[in-house]
Amino acid sequence: MFNYSYAFGGLQQPISKLADFKWMVFFIFMLSCFSTKQFKLFGLIAGMEIILSLTGFFSNFKDYFLVMYGGLALVYLKNLKAKHILPLASLGIALIYMVIIWQYIKPEYRGYLNGGQITQTTIRSNSESFSKLGELISKVDKDDIIDGFTQTVNRLSYIDFFSATIEYVPKNVPHTHGRLWGDALERIIKPRLFFPNKSHIDDSETTRKYSGMKVAGAESATSISLGYITENYIDFGIPGMFVSLFLFGIIIGVVYKYVMTSSPNKLIGTAMIIPLFILIYSFESALNKFFGGLVMYLIIYELIRRFVLKKFLVQIEI
């Protein structure tokens, strides 16, 4: 659903956030399978979902692993036994290995998926994608794995842009004194559905402006953001960024508490909070996308809780 959401213009963000609630369904299905000991059924469905996620331009296979870890922790951590350690360790090793391989093959694989066009969509069928994926993986050797590991560490640390920005702001460009936060709030007040002429977000342009780094942008179908932590530094400097991030953390905590207390029970509340977790751990997201996504998550949650959740729970007998 996310890949096609851009075709709906002003409805793109609501549709993409609604799609994130698939994690609620996946989480409840997982716990249901665990409680009834239908491990093979869950393994089959989860495996298919992970494999199919690899055919898209933006693969979210790691999210499946994180959600599974959350489910396993909920089920086993209170009574952790030696027999549980192996599946937990195996899941972690599989995730790390897949991430490393993905980081290495990603540039060439994406170039194949979009046919060399300047887009972030795929023109290949699933069979063609699987064939190319298998070909690229079969060519990976020891040096490639080391290269992929280095890329993964750099990706996870995400400090290069922050370091460059600290060197560049305010030496070359002054602090923005809340303008980036103001833009994030204004975009919420003026949804694109009702303000179609609202300026488009260009993450790469922001990165170039405040870090001084030359990064690929829309001309290459790429969007590289500084991340909301760095943008708080641009707005308020040090120590102001710590104050703004602390207040932002309080807002997230209030949303978390509301979802957990307004849900029918802790199990459903945990399931409903997963889309929020998926949003929060994407710390490379730009502030205007992150805060807008948080507000949209809360709106979608409330609509589901009020009009959908009871019927859904009756259907699955929870």
Side-chain angles (χ1 to χ4, degrees):
M1 186 183 292
F2 176 81
N3 290 333
Y4 297 102
S5 63
Y6 290 95
F8 293 90
L11 294 175
Q12 184 273 326
Q13 189 178 62
I15 292 174
S16 64
K17 288 305 162 194
L18 177 61
D20 285 345
F21 277 86
K22 71 179 182 181
W23 299 115
M24 175 198 74
V25 179
F26 180 79
F27 186 78
I28 293 175
F29 169 71
M30 174 180 60
L31 294 186
S32 175
C33 288
F34 286 173
S35 65
T36 56
K37 300 188 183 301
Q38 298 184 72
F39 302 113
K40 290 184 179 179
L41 174 62
F42 173 72
L44 176 63
I45 300 298
M48 290 177 59
E49 287 290 325
I50 291 171
I51 291 172
L52 287 173
S53 73
L54 294 170
T55 63
F57 196 88
F58 298 102
S59 177
N60 61 349
F61 67 87
K62 62 182 181 299
D63 295 336
Y64 284 97
F65 282 91
L66 293 174
V67 173
M68 283 190 285
Y69 250 115
L72 289 169
L74 191 64
V75 173
Y76 295 127
L77 281 189
K78 288 185 178 180
N79 299 295
L80 187 64
K81 299 179 181 179
K83 65 180 181 180
H84 300 144
I85 296 176
L86 180 59
L88 288 170
S90 299
L91 200 63
I93 292 171
L95 172 59
I96 293 171
Y97 184 75
M98 287 183 68
V99 169
I100 289 172
I101 298 300
W102 173 254
Q103 286 299 323
Y104 178 76
I105 68 171
K106 182 171 63 177
E108 185 175 350
Y109 183 55
R110 284 181 170 178
Y112 172 79
L113 291 180
N114 64 19
Q117 302 176 12
I118 305 178
T119 64
Q120 294 182 338
T121 56
T122 177
I123 63 172
R124 309 295 183 181
S125 66
N126 285 347
S127 60
E128 290 175 326
S129 300
F130 286 137
S131 177
K132 184 63 175 180
L133 189 63
E135 175 190 332
L136 292 174
I137 293 175
S138 66
K139 294 179 180 179
V140 173
D141 56 25
K142 181 179 179 181
D143 292 335
D144 297 335
I145 292 176
I146 294 174
D147 189 11
F149 176 77
T150 302
Q151 293 180 43
T152 300
V153 171
N154 291 336
R155 173 70 174 174
L156 292 175
S157 63
Y158 214 78
I159 61 172
D160 291 342
F161 294 127
F162 190 26
S163 300
T165 303
I166 291 176
E167 290 293 326
Y168 203 74
V169 178
K171 181 179 179 180
N172 298 286
V173 178
H175 288 289
T176 48
H177 305 293
R179 285 199 299 273
L180 296 180
W181 259 106
D183 178 65
L185 294 172
E186 183 180 7
R187 288 182 179 278
I188 295 171
I189 297 171
K190 296 181 177 180
R192 193 174 300 280
L193 181 63
F194 304 109
F195 297 87
N197 295 323
K198 182 173 65 174
S199 62
H200 289 275
I201 297 173
D202 191 335
D203 292 331
S204 294
E205 180 58 33
T206 301
T207 300
R208 297 186 192 114
K209 181 177 181 180
Y210 295 108
S211 71
M213 300 175 69
K214 295 180 180 179
V215 297
E219 70 284 350
S220 302
T222 302
S223 180
I224 300 176
S225 66
L226 291 169
Y228 64 88
I229 294 176
T230 304
E231 290 185 356
N232 271 274
Y233 166 77
I234 295 170
D235 253 356
F236 305 112
I238 295 176
M241 64 171 288
F242 298 114
V243 176
S244 62
L245 287 171
F246 176 75
L247 294 175
F248 195 23
I250 291 177
I251 293 173
I252 294 172
V254 169
V255 172
Y256 172 82
K257 182 178 180 180
Y258 173 74
V259 172
M260 292 299 293
T261 55
S262 61
S263 295
N265 53 58
K266 289 184 178 180
L267 174 62
I268 301 302
T270 302
M272 296 290 275
I273 213 71
I274 290 176
L276 176 62
F277 170 76
I278 298 295
L279 173 68
I280 291 172
Y281 91 82
S282 300
F283 55 86
E284 72 272 17
S285 296
L287 185 60
N288 45 24
K289 290 182 179 178
F290 185 90
F291 193 64
L294 178 63
V295 172
M296 187 54 62
Y297 159 80
L298 188 57
I299 293 172
I300 297 296
Y301 162 75
E302 193 63 22
L303 291 174
I304 291 176
R305 184 181 71 86
R306 289 178 179 272
F307 303 110
V308 179
L309 190 58
K310 284 186 178 180
K311 294 180 180 179
F312 172 72
L313 296 180
V314 169
Q315 290 295 321
I316 63 174
E317 299 181 350
I318 289 184

